[in-house]
Amino acid sequence: MQWAEHRSMSMAIAHFALGAGLTTLAVAFLIPNVRFPRTLVLAGGGWAMVPDFHWVSPVAADRLRDIHQTSPLTDLFWFHRTLDTLDPGDSKTVAAGFVLCFLAATALAEWQSYRVPEPVADAYEEHLDVTADR
């Protein structure tokens, strides 16, 4: 199947930015104490792009392309199919919008990570005083 024959879809950066942004929010608000949060954010962006693997696959590219274009299961990869359906024209504006959303999610996560409830801050200062002599 040639490029011109297949259905259009959203740009790869839009998928990555959506996945990374949603992963950022999930890490920041659902599992804030997870180890390696930035690595998870990158993995979330990569996860959103998994259905596009057919573009670089050395094997079964046609079968993978068919799955990408027809299976509703591709929405498990941060709404991949839905985004392709909503943005069929490779819109640079949509891609830029998702990149801006990812940046906003990152800023929100940073702001949230510095907000420590008072009882937690008190307990930290009381029990984990790093300035005390050992």
Side-chain angles (χ1 to χ4, degrees), residues 3 12 23-24 37 48 59 69 74 83 85 92 95 106 130:
W3 168 259
T23 303
T24 298
V59 296
Q69 292 179 345
T74 59
L83 181 54
T85 302
K92 293 175 184 170
T106 301
V130 294

Side-chain angles (χ1 to χ4, degrees), residues 37-118:
R38 288 168 290 284
T39 302
L40 282 177
V41 168
L42 290 175
W47 178 256
M49 296 174 62
V50 166
D52 284 332
F53 181 68
H54 67 87
W55 291 111
V56 295
S57 176
V59 296
D62 288 336
R63 178 67 183 128
L64 291 171
R65 184 178 300 109
D66 289 341
I67 292 169
H68 172 259
Q69 292 179 345
T70 61
S71 177
L73 293 177
T74 59
D75 268 343
L76 294 174
F77 300 89
W78 287 121
F79 313 106
H80 190 100
R81 183 174 187 206
T82 299
L83 181 54
D84 280 349
T85 302
L86 295 175
D87 180 30
D90 273 349
S91 170
K92 293 175 184 170
T93 303
V94 170
F98 278 114
V99 169
L100 288 175
C101 288
F102 172 45
L103 294 174
T106 301
L108 182 63
E110 286 294 306
W111 173 79
Q112 191 275 339
S113 71
Y114 292 111
R115 296 185 65 223
V116 178
E118 191 173 325

Side-chain angles (χ1 to χ4, degrees), residues 25-49:
L25 295 175
V27 166
F29 293 101
L30 300 177
I31 48 173
N33 295 325
V34 70
R35 292 181 64 176
F36 309 111
R38 288 168 290 284
T39 302
L40 282 177
V41 168
L42 290 175
W47 178 256
M49 296 174 62

